[in-house]
Every structure is written in C-alpha cells, then in structure tokens.
Amino acid sequence: MEQAAALLSSQMGDVPKTAIVLGTGLSGLTDSLSVERSWEFTHLPGFPRLTVASHPGRLIKADMDGSPVLVLDGRAHIYEGYDAKEVTVPMRVLGSLGVEQVILTNACGSMNPASISGDIVLLEDHINLMGVNPLEGPNHNDWGPRFPDMSDPYDGALRHMARTVASEEGIALREGVYVAVVGPNLETRAEYRMLSRMGADVVGMSTVPEVLVARHMGMRVLAFAVVTDECDPDNLSPISIDDVLAAAAQASGPLERLVRKIVPRM
Ligand code: HPA
C-alpha cells in the first residue's frame, strides 16, 4: 500500500478530494469523463487482480464538469477469494493519498417491495453479515482508531445534499439499509426472508468492507445501490448475471447524472 501510494503520488500531481467507486455494471460512468491519467490495477503494487469480466480494474484521475475526481473503475470482492483486507487495499491507498470523501456504488437485490429493478437506493445504514472485517488484526493507529464509531457511517449532510440534488433533477431516490453477504451465490428464499426481517432493504456482496476502511480513516462516505433484482421470497424468479448487468445498465444513466451533479457540491 505504501508503494502504491508513493507511486501514485509521484505521478498524480494534485490529489482530488473526492473519489468514486464503480460497482458491477456501472463502468459506463467513465465514458463521459475527461480522463487525465489512468493506472491499471495490475500496475499498482498490492492492488488485487480482478477476476470478474464486468470489472476492468483501473484507477482514473479525471475531470467531472470542472471538479477533479479519482475513479476506481472496478473492485475486488471477497467471493473472488480475497480477504477483507485485500479487497480494501484500493480504499486504503485513497485514504493514504489524502482523499477526503468517497461515493461508492454497487448492484444489489431488493427485499423491499417499494424498490424495483432499476431503482437507485441511497444507503442510510448497513448490516455487516460477511463474517469478516477488514479492520481485524493489529490496528495501525496512524490510519485510525482501534474501535471506530459507526453511528452514522453514511454521512448525514452528504445524504441530505444527495436527496436535494435528486429532487432537483427529477431522479427518484429511495433510501434503505444494505446488508453485505460474501456470495457468490444469490440468496435462497429463506435467506431473503431472514435478511428482510432483520431490517435490511437491499443485499449485495461488496461496499461494506470499503465503508469500514473509509470510516476508519475518517473519510466521508456516500453510497448508492442500483437494484438489479427483486427478492420477494414468496415469488422469486431465477436470476442470472446477465439480468443483473442489464438492470445495472438501465439505471446507470440516471445514476451518472446524479453523481455528476453531486460531485461539484461535495
Ligand atoms: N443478492 C446478493 N447480491 C446481489 C444481489 C442479490 O440478490 N443482486 C445483486 N447483487
């Protein structure tokens, strides 16, 4: 991580204060960026190699309508065989470089009948059901505290601003609790029923490890989940990765518009 941070800071120039992480099927957001420079994950020491075709794996420095941003185009998942620390190396490096705030995106299933495929859900809170934690092990006190607070992991002021921007733009935005599971299988009917009863609105296989690391390092977090499948335990249809990607692509237009309007106001 130190090597990656040193390499990047020697090549990057000014470090943008805002970073964006693009989840499954949401890479299209990079098409409209004016890219200043990009680095393949494979050229960055300590960065995970991505094994899922929908994730290219690049770090991009770009300009978004006049605001400098860093974009992590692709992420590693625990289901690929990495541990929680390995999947959060890119987030640690962003924190070490001095990034102050991050926007995370992901694809999710929705147990809440109010959110249907293609909806964008603003995360208000999360439940970590992964059984692992990137903060396990000796704590590096220069990174953050041993027992980081999680009373408001998704920054209240940023969420308020995101809701305002969404209503100005006429983009429907739901809010909900995200539960993180390891995957890679989608859930059984009994599992969706349990996740819903425990208080989650949406479920996915990412984001929470990155949020824990970002909050550990004091970065402010905003996160959006795109609903790619509806998880009604009493009426569940089979789902394929192609369905997930198609639904993510459908929502990526409005999500991109939302992110472009939010970044300059952060
Ligand atoms: N479950 C877990 N992760 C997911 C889902 C789901 O239904 N959809 C997209 N990511």
Side-chain angles (χ1 to χ4, degrees):
M1 281 181 255
E2 281 166 7
Q3 286 171 12
L7 184 145
L8 287 166
S9 58
S10 73
Q11 298 182 350
M12 186 175 287
D14 291 341
V15 176
K17 66 176 182 172
T18 307
I20 304 169
V21 181
L22 300 179
T24 301
L26 300 170
S27 253
L29 268 73
T30 58
D31 293 345
S32 57
L33 293 173
S34 44
V35 175
E36 193 180 305
R37 180 151 191 175
S38 76
W39 299 263
E40 302 285 326
F41 283 10
T42 47
H43 296 149
L44 294 172
F47 271 55
R49 307 277 175 267
L50 309 191
T51 64
V52 177
S54 53
H55 290 89
R58 311 177 278 169
L59 173 64
I60 301 168
K61 184 183 180 190
D63 178 276
M64 190 177 252
D65 301 333
S67 304
V69 285
L70 285 176
V71 179
L72 283 171
D73 184 17
R75 59 153 65 89
H77 298 84
I78 291 173
Y79 63 70
E80 293 174 78
Y82 294 111
D83 67 29
K85 283 191 181 61
E86 288 168 325
V87 303
T88 50
V89 165
M91 187 58 65
R92 281 283 180 215
V93 170
L94 293 183
S96 307
L97 288 170
V99 168
E100 295 168 18
Q101 44 194 7
V102 291
I103 302 177
L104 296 153
T105 64
N106 64 55
C108 69
S110 171
M111 284 81 67
N112 185 333
S115 298
I116 59 167
S117 228
D119 278 359
I120 303 171
V121 178
L122 174 64
L123 302 201
E124 61 169 271
D125 207 343
H126 73 226
I127 298 170
N128 180 8
L129 216 63
M130 289 180 142
V132 289
N133 191 309
L135 309 180
E136 278 170 41
N139 186 57
H140 293 268
N141 293 324
D142 47 338
W143 280 348
R146 170 76 289 187
F147 301 106
D149 171 68
M150 286 295 149
S151 57
D152 195 19
Y154 303 88
D155 189 90
L158 290 181
R159 280 190 284 136
H160 180 77
M161 184 266 284
R163 282 193 297 268
T164 306
V165 171
S167 81
E168 286 169 8
E169 293 296 310
I171 296 170
L173 189 60
R174 306 230 163 241
E175 263 188 277
V177 174
Y178 177 90
V179 58
V181 295
V182 165
N185 58 282
L186 299 165
E187 284 65 37
T188 64
R189 286 171 291 148
E191 287 167 341
Y192 284 128
R193 196 172 287 119
M194 170 192 75
L195 297 173
S196 169
R197 285 190 186 155
M198 70 169 41
D201 298 287
V202 292
V203 54
M205 306 172 194
S206 69
T207 305
V208 165
E210 293 146 88
V211 171
L212 296 174
V213 163
R215 293 303 305 137
H216 184 234
M217 298 182 99
M219 290 182 266
R220 300 202 297 162
V221 174
L222 191 61
F224 298 101
V226 167
V227 176
T228 57
D229 49 306
E230 293 160 26
C231 313
D232 173 2
D234 300 316
N235 191 16
L236 192 61
S237 328
I239 168 127
S240 71
I241 183 67
D242 293 329
D243 300 332
V244 167
L245 294 176
Q250 178 197 325
S252 69
L255 181 60
E256 177 190 333
R257 202 149 54 82
L258 189 58
V259 169
R260 293 184 85 91
K261 298 285 178 184
I262 284 174
V263 165
R265 287 162 69 161
M266 287 178 78

